[in-house]
Amino acid sequence: MSKVITTGCGLLLTSLLAGCMGGNANINPIVEDRSVSRSTTANGVMIDQNVSSGTAVTTPVDTGQGFTVVNRQVAAPTPVSSSNPAVIALLQGAVEQQKQGEFSAAQSSLERAQRIAPRDPHVYMQLADLRRQQGQYLQAEQFALKGLTLARGQSALERKFWILIADIRSEGGDHSGAAAARDKARLY
């Protein structure tokens, strides 16, 4: 009897170890993008509206009868920027930190806001302005250009980005580039 128990315990231990060693190390974890707007249609299909590309990708939703897979693209609505209360608080905190000259703290706040809402153009506006104040004009312009692409369809915000780009280029010594950016700002 004791030999059966020992053998059974040995088999159990072997299968547990084999299960631990054969893990799925190549599987990427699922990461939630909180800047994507989701809505459910009448037939139970969830639509993830991709703000940056202007398309919506449908995701299967369990309707109780299995999954429904739909593959189509629709126009995405204009995103509501800074609707997340955490992002709003971080942006306001960063403004105060910048006013007090605490650039490192402001940068940390803005990077956290960027992780929460990676498609919010207001975050990129403040990141660009912070880099401008720090004299990092190349990075400032890159943040501004990224924000500009995310602000498509929002004329007032696009105009603000072009004005910021003009200021960045002017302070960086690129006066002809600054003039071109001001000309683009006048179009909005």
Side-chain angles (χ1 to χ4, degrees), residues 17-167:
L17 288 174
C20 291
M21 292 171 46
N24 294 324
N26 292 332
I27 295 178
N28 293 329
I30 297 173
V31 179
E32 180 183 358
D33 181 1
R34 297 179 185 181
S35 68
V36 174
S37 169
R38 298 172 195 259
S39 60
T40 305
T41 63
N43 63 356
V45 176
M46 182 171 286
I47 299 177
D48 292 345
Q49 296 175 336
N50 185 333
V51 176
S52 66
S53 68
T55 62
V57 179
T58 56
T59 306
V61 174
D62 190 356
T63 61
Q65 303 168 355
F67 285 92
T68 305
V69 180
V70 178
N71 186 10
R72 62 187 147 120
Q73 294 183 345
V74 295
T78 304
V80 178
S81 296
S82 300
S83 61
N84 187 325
V87 173
I88 293 169
L90 287 166
L91 292 176
Q92 290 172 345
V95 167
E96 293 302 316
Q97 291 163 337
Q98 273 181 275
K99 286 179 183 176
Q100 296 171 2
E102 299 173 4
F103 295 126
S104 179
Q107 179 178 337
S108 295
S109 296
L110 292 173
E111 287 172 353
R112 186 166 177 217
Q114 184 184 26
R115 285 191 299 274
I116 294 169
R119 290 188 173 91
D120 188 335
H122 293 96
V123 174
Y124 290 92
M125 173 83 68
Q126 281 193 237
L127 278 166
D129 189 51
L130 176 66
R131 294 291 191 222
R132 181 191 59 80
Q133 288 181 7
Q134 292 174 321
Q136 299 173 0
Y137 303 116
L138 183 60
Q139 287 183 350
E141 186 169 346
Q142 292 303 312
F143 279 126
L145 291 171
K146 172 70 175 179
L148 183 63
T149 62
L150 295 173
R152 281 200 182 123
Q154 302 176 45
S155 298
L157 194 54
E158 287 181 273
R159 183 176 190 280
K160 288 179 183 179
F161 270 112
W162 280 115
I163 291 169
L164 179 59
I165 291 169
D167 292 343

Side-chain angles (χ1 to χ4, degrees), residues 1-6:
M1 177 77 169
S2 118
K3 188 166 185 152
V4 172
I5 294 174
T6 306

